[in-house]
Amino acid sequence: MQQIAFDSVQIARFILGGSWIYHGLAPKLITVAPIERAMTATLGLDPDTSLLITRLAGVGEVVFGILLIIFYRQVTLIALNIAMLVALLIFVAVQIPAVLFDAFNPVTTNLALIGLSCVLLQARN
């Protein structure tokens, strides 16, 4: 039973960290996905500033993902992860609600990642 618990924590750890790293790299740093441009455009920024914010967010997401992989036992970091996932979901819901109905949308992704965060929190008990 302990091995299953350990394995579950490791799976949660690497999926959470890997997800942040991927979402920082692929749609923000390697290339800027149209949806990323659309989301920052809703803030009313000029295109250059919007691109800069998107790229900085990508760097932040990669760093945060690495921190989650390394410090996955830290309650504060896990709580911050949950708070950011909720905040990002609310941001999308307010700024571009149509995205919530796309395939592989932020609702399903963020709720799954919040669930994995709960696995990490539960493992601390």
Side-chain angles (χ1 to χ4, degrees), residues 3-119:
Q3 185 64 42
I4 293 171
F6 176 80
D7 292 348
S8 297
V9 166
Q10 297 310 307
I11 290 167
R13 168 191 185 191
F14 285 104
I15 288 175
L16 282 168
S19 180
W20 280 103
I21 292 167
Y22 176 82
H23 283 278
L25 285 175
K28 293 179 183 81
L29 294 175
I30 295 171
T31 183
V32 178
I35 191 66
E36 297 293 342
R37 285 189 183 269
M39 283 193 284
T40 53
T42 65
L43 300 173
L45 304 170
D46 66 83
D48 289 337
T49 304
S50 180
L51 179 62
L52 176 64
I53 288 174
T54 300
R55 297 250 188 233
L56 289 174
V59 170
E61 289 178 12
V62 170
V63 170
F64 189 72
I66 292 168
L67 290 174
L68 266 173
I69 289 171
I70 296 169
F71 301 109
Y72 66 97
R73 292 185 178 114
Q74 298 298 317
V75 173
T76 305
L77 192 61
I78 300 166
L80 179 60
N81 175 60
I82 292 170
M84 290 188 338
L85 289 167
V86 169
L88 289 168
L89 184 56
I90 291 169
F91 176 78
V92 170
V94 169
Q95 298 300 107
I96 310 175
V99 172
L100 301 178
F101 301 97
D102 288 345
F104 303 104
N105 62 64
V107 174
T108 57
T109 304
N110 289 24
L111 289 179
L113 294 176
I114 289 169
L116 290 172
S117 300
C118 292
V119 168

